[in-house]
Amino acid sequence: MKKYKCSVCGWIYDPAAGDPKHGIVPGTPFEELPADWHCPRCGAPKEKFRIRERMPAAVFFGRAQALFAASTARS
């Protein structure tokens, strides 16, 4: 299941965990959350959430290595 990130505060909704404190049982997909559900951290409405895009590890580490190489080359 896809995770969703609050665009206001960065809190991640993980369907596997749900939101038990607010009556959302584990396994509840984001699309099935009630219309009045809101971010437990900042109170943002459901509309402020976006699908969390994960960068493949190889891409992340490749970019990190390139940035490190560029920063040490300037020193």
Side-chain angles (χ1 to χ4, degrees):
M1 284 189 226
K2 294 181 181 178
K3 296 178 182 179
Y4 285 74
K5 181 178 181 179
C6 177
S7 63
V8 176
C9 73
W11 188 82
I12 305 292
Y13 175 75
D14 181 357
D19 183 11
K21 290 182 181 178
H22 297 98
I24 308 299
V25 297
T28 304
F30 186 81
E31 297 79 14
E32 293 180 15
L33 293 174
D36 63 347
W37 181 85
H38 57 275
C39 177
R41 181 186 290 164
C42 73
K46 188 176 170 182
E47 296 78 32
K48 293 291 185 178
F49 279 74
R50 304 289 178 256
I51 295 173
R52 180 177 177 218
E53 300 292 337
R54 295 196 64 184
M55 186 182 301
V59 173
F60 174 80
F61 288 112
R63 289 183 183 175
Q65 287 177 333
L67 288 171
F68 178 76
S71 69
T72 57
R74 289 185 223 145
S75 300

